[in-house]
Amino acid sequence: MSRRDNLHLSLRHTLEKDGWTITDDPLILVLEQTLLKPDLGAEKFFAAEKDERKIAVEIKDFDSPSVINELEKMMGQLQLYQWALDEQESKRQLFLAISQTIYIRHFQKPIFQLAVQRNRINLLVYEPEQEAIVQWIAH
């Protein structure tokens, strides 16, 4: 099984352990007659609010020789997904899922922080081996 498949399954299990129901794997979106596929769609009911919360999740491992190229590609990809969600499922919130290791290694760098802030990228930081959510960072 490839590393990407391992991350995908690990995140899926992590979300399910946290009470999320996976509704789409992958989530299919269409933007201007073009098919887009974020990795997962999920929803969770928060009993305290008695309101349904839906998310779309793109998983990235940033294992390329050039993390800046990966950052550039990821920003464009998330922008297209957000545009499609705005048209098709405006209540579904988009998150970029990254491991805690990647968050510490790359997302503490000023260029990554700037990209996340300026592009209002929501992050889901998780620990793949323990299949546990470390933190949600929403903008």
Side-chain angles (χ1 to χ4, degrees), residues 21-39:
T21 300
I22 303 301
T23 58
D24 305 275
D25 185 0
L27 175 62
I28 305 295
L29 299 171
V30 178
L31 179 63
E32 299 298 325
Q33 302 175 349
T34 301
L35 192 64
L36 304 171
K37 295 181 184 178
D39 292 316

Side-chain angles (χ1 to χ4, degrees), residues 98-105 125-128 130 134-135:
I98 54 173
S99 70
Q100 184 174 24
T101 301
I102 294 303
Y103 180 73
I104 292 167
R105 183 179 301 146
V125 182
Y126 74 109
E127 180 50 57
Q130 279 80 39
V134 177
Q135 63 180 326

